[in-house]
Amino acid sequence: MRISESQFKAIAKRAGPGKISVDKPKARSSSASAEKPAAKAKGRNRHVRVDYAAQVEPVVISIPLPYDPRPKERPRSAINYKALKDAFFQARGSVERFMAIVTGGEASSSPFDGGRKKRAGIITTYTPGRTDEYEKLLKAEGGIVMMRRQVLDVPLEADIVLTLTGDPQTWPTSALDGDGDNLQKAVLDALNGVVFTDDRLIVRKSVEKRCGETPALTITVRGASL
């Protein structure tokens, strides 16, 4: 029950001096907040901006190619019709179970493989053959150059020169020549984990397309300069 200020004064007067005391709420100590563990600052693990050019011996990969430099093709998807049929029979008319199997939530079994349970794997994603073949070729060449070197793990610069078959007095601007972005992406993706730990380390790059008598690729990777 709450009392008014006038009622409180009347009670205090009847009780006499020093009989009633009221505890004031204690103010929160400023150190109370300090006792809480400080939240960890969120951030990114970045390299210090210094000159890395003198720290890294340049890596040069220069190879003739059996065909023109190839662009990075998008991954393709294909339906595994056998797995789809197995999921249909396994579901026994239940739409919910069928969806659980095809989305990977439930394993399916087939009478044709002894009834062993396995994931449906309805959709398979794969790298197109042309891109896969090209990237394997570049990885192999990069592995030879880096045979006795550590994979680079510092900020880097890259210069990429792509030579396509054609008259050296012309520019490779045909729709069949591909664009520089996709051509250089195939090169950098192929050299991931071979020349550098990740192509995100490349902070500066140049890409040149030119025509020549024979197709070729030259990439120079060096430490980033200021």
Side-chain angles (χ1 to χ4, degrees):
M1 182 181 68
R2 301 183 62 181
I3 61 175
S4 65
E5 184 178 354
S6 59
Q7 289 174 322
F8 177 82
K9 288 180 178 179
I11 294 171
K13 187 175 181 180
R14 289 196 299 269
K19 298 295 184 180
I20 295 180
S21 63
V22 179
D23 294 332
K24 295 182 179 180
K26 294 181 180 179
R28 289 187 177 179
S29 171
S30 58
S31 62
S33 59
E35 294 175 359
K36 296 181 179 179
K40 292 183 179 179
K42 295 182 179 179
R44 297 170 178 167
N45 185 19
R46 291 172 169 167
H47 288 80
V48 178
R49 189 180 176 88
V50 296
D51 194 341
Y52 291 92
Q55 302 180 29
V56 177
E57 180 184 352
V59 176
V60 181
I61 300 173
S62 184
I63 54 173
L65 295 172
Y67 37 71
D68 281 346
R70 293 176 175 176
K72 178 77 174 185
E73 296 181 87
R74 294 181 179 178
R76 306 284 174 82
S77 296
I79 297 177
N80 185 335
Y81 288 100
K82 180 181 181 302
L84 189 65
K85 182 179 68 174
D86 290 345
F88 176 78
F89 287 113
Q90 185 73 19
R92 297 181 181 276
S94 170
V95 175
E96 292 78 8
R97 191 174 182 190
F98 176 75
M99 293 302 297
I101 294 172
V102 299
T103 56
E106 181 180 333
S108 65
S109 62
S110 170
F112 304 106
D113 59 6
R116 293 188 301 272
K117 290 277 186 178
K118 60 182 180 179
R119 290 296 169 189
I122 301 299
I123 298 179
T124 303
T125 302
Y126 64 95
T127 301
R130 282 168 49 86
T131 298
D132 186 55
E133 177 191 27
Y134 181 50
E135 291 186 350
K136 284 179 178 177
L137 171 64
L138 301 186
K139 282 181 183 294
E141 293 292 336
I144 293 172
V145 173
M146 297 295 292
M147 189 175 295
R148 299 185 180 182
R149 295 191 56 174
Q150 293 288 334
V151 178
L152 305 179
D153 192 28
V154 297
L156 303 166
E157 299 176 4
D159 297 324
I160 304 172
V161 180
L162 303 150
T163 303
L164 292 86
T165 308
D167 184 351
Q169 300 304 313
T170 61
W171 289 109
T173 54
S174 164
L176 299 177
D177 292 329
D179 65 81
D181 284 345
N182 284 335
L183 289 169
Q184 60 91 22
K185 182 170 177 55
V187 175
L188 298 181
D189 283 357
L191 299 181
N192 264 337
V194 178
V195 175
F196 33 75
T197 55
D198 196 288
D199 58 1
R200 62 179 168 74
L201 292 168
I202 297 177
V203 297
R204 189 180 298 124
K205 65 185 172 184
S206 67
V207 180
E208 178 186 349
K209 292 195 303 177
R210 61 171 66 161
C211 290
E213 293 182 0
T214 57
L217 163 70
T218 299
I219 177 172
T220 304
V221 181
R222 63 179 70 85
S225 59
L226 292 177

